[in-house]
Amino acid sequence: MGAQKSIHAGKAKIDVNVDFTHKLCASLMLPPPFRNSGSPLSLIIGSLCIKHPNLFGGSEKLDVSWDKGLCDSNVLVAFRRPRPEWLPQKCFRLQHSLSPEIGVHGRPFENFSRSGSGGVNLSRLSVGLDLNEPASSQWSSTTSIKFEHVRLLNDDGRSITCDLDGFPVTCSGSHHDSMVVLKQESQYAKANNHSFSRFSMQLEQGIPVLSKWLIFNRFKFTATRGVKLGPAFFLTSLNGGSIVGDMAPYQAFAIGGVGSVRGYGEGSIGSGRSCLVANNEVTIPLNKMLEGVVFFDCGTDLGSGRLVPGEFPFLPWEITCNAI
């Protein structure tokens, strides 16, 4: 069920997008920890988006969005005030999300199936400011600072400090973690008719505002290269990262999943303070409507998996090769 409506408020036009679907069949396929037969609303997935392009009469933009899945939800409020193009563009963001913490505490039911949350769910509330620097050549960068409050919940919605195995789920040892994070993200992109290259790098620094707040330095990078080989297309990427200082289990780098080593649930291979993942794939058109893909993925935690509370040991390298 979807609908789109434009409402005129004075000289401004407010765009409203609604898209909700009842997913009874999909919910029956979920593992037992995710099933909730107590309310029909739990079987509803969809999104609601409201955009106001001229909030105070000076071209200020307000975006409000709500996305709901069977197991997660996300609410985002973004406010942008227009500035000259040569100055950084500011965006105030208020966001709350709720999702299963499957990176560390997920348990694979089988090799190619979904993972359960292990009774651990993340509730994140963040308030911050983004500064988008003017793009120069193929480079673009964004600087942001935000306050983040993270609570860990069980499947009944109650705050917890330990998982089902007795391992701590927060860094502070209490029911929640708080932090102020300064983030710098830079991206490079170049493309032509035969190939493209993309590189991104993220640096996050936890600022010691209070003694109990998390202090850490987190680094992450992704390098991607795509080349057209006749009718086929070859894509290769390398991504990795590391975190130094305070770290809660939910901040670990998860290995496994669609964006990592495919053929496994998210984090079902393992997680660590550091990681390195390589993806390679070749896409071959079979006809006008069908494509074939052969991929080869591998990943490692660089021996840092034992440093993540609640993590189970796994092989230093995990490799998967498949064809779709």
Side-chain angles (χ1 to χ4, degrees):
M1 178 181 67
Q4 183 174 354
K5 180 70 174 179
S6 295
I7 303 173
H8 291 273
K11 297 182 179 180
K13 184 177 72 171
I14 303 176
D15 295 326
V16 181
N17 295 289
V18 182
D19 184 11
F20 284 98
T21 306
H22 195 272
K23 289 291 184 180
L24 177 60
C25 295
S27 67
L28 295 177
M29 298 174 61
L30 288 174
F34 287 159
R35 293 180 186 166
N36 184 2
S37 58
S39 171
L41 294 178
S42 64
L43 306 180
I44 299 295
I45 69 171
S47 62
L48 172 64
C49 181
I50 302 175
K51 296 186 178 183
H52 197 305
N54 192 22
L55 186 61
F56 299 118
S59 297
E60 300 89 351
K61 296 181 179 180
L62 176 67
D63 295 340
V64 180
S65 64
W66 174 47
D67 297 290
K68 182 187 180 302
L70 289 171
C71 311
D72 56 0
S73 65
N74 182 72
V75 178
L76 174 64
V77 179
F79 175 77
R80 301 173 179 86
R81 185 186 297 274
R83 304 189 74 192
E85 294 183 357
W86 61 86
L87 295 177
Q89 302 300 308
K90 295 181 179 180
C91 178
F92 172 80
R93 296 166 63 92
L94 173 64
Q95 185 173 12
H96 178 266
S97 64
L98 179 64
S99 61
E101 202 290 282
I102 58 179
V104 173
H105 298 93
R107 300 291 182 263
F109 285 84
E110 60 182 7
N111 196 31
F112 292 92
S113 70
R114 290 174 293 269
S115 296
S117 67
V120 181
N121 302 276
L122 283 176
S123 174
R124 293 178 181 264
L125 174 64
S126 64
V127 181
L129 180 67
D130 295 345
L131 295 176
N132 296 304
E133 300 291 339
S136 60
S137 185
Q138 287 90 18
W139 283 95
S140 63
S141 63
T142 301
T143 302
S144 63
I145 185 169
K146 65 178 179 179
F147 167 76
E148 190 169 75
H149 181 83
V150 182
R151 285 197 308 139
L152 281 299
L153 310 174
N154 60 15
D155 292 331
D156 296 327
R158 298 179 181 178
S159 298
I160 57 175
T161 58
C162 296
D163 60 16
L164 298 178
D165 299 312
F167 291 100
V169 292
T170 62
C171 181
S172 63
S174 63
H175 291 93
H176 62 84
D177 286 330
S178 298
M179 64 198 85
V180 173
V181 181
L182 178 63
K183 179 179 178 181
Q184 174 69 43
E185 182 175 4
S186 300
Q187 294 184 350
Y188 169 84
K190 183 179 180 181
N192 54 43
N193 294 331
H194 303 284
S195 64
F196 78 91
S197 301
R198 184 168 60 242
F199 177 78
S200 66
M201 180 177 62
Q202 296 180 6
L203 287 173
E204 292 181 328
Q205 177 64 58
I207 302 176
V209 178
L210 297 178
S211 59
K212 293 185 178 180
W213 290 9
L214 274 61
I215 306 172
F216 61 91
N217 183 275
R218 180 185 173 101
F219 167 75
K220 184 179 180 180
F221 76 92
T222 302
T224 306
R225 173 71 172 173
V227 180
K228 190 174 182 181
L229 303 174
F233 189 79
F234 174 71
L235 180 67
T236 181
S237 66
L238 179 68
N239 66 83
S242 184
I243 182 171
V244 179
D246 297 334
M247 188 195 75
Y250 55 81
Q251 292 180 305
F253 293 94
I255 303 175
V258 176
S260 180
V261 179
R262 288 164 286 188
Y264 295 86
E266 183 180 350
S268 63
I269 295 177
S271 60
R273 274 185 173 265
S274 303
C275 81
L276 193 63
V277 176
N279 306 104
N280 301 275
E281 67 177 50
V282 177
T283 303
I284 304 172
L286 303 179
N287 53 47
K288 293 182 179 180
M289 301 293 293
L290 186 64
E291 291 182 339
V293 179
V294 179
F295 63 84
F296 177 83
D297 299 338
C298 57
T300 175
D301 67 354
L302 301 174
S304 63
R306 57 185 176 82
L307 303 176
V308 180
E311 169 65 319
F312 292 101
F314 74 108
L315 297 177
W317 284 89
E318 189 72 33
I319 300 175
T320 180
C321 180
N322 213 330
I324 300 179

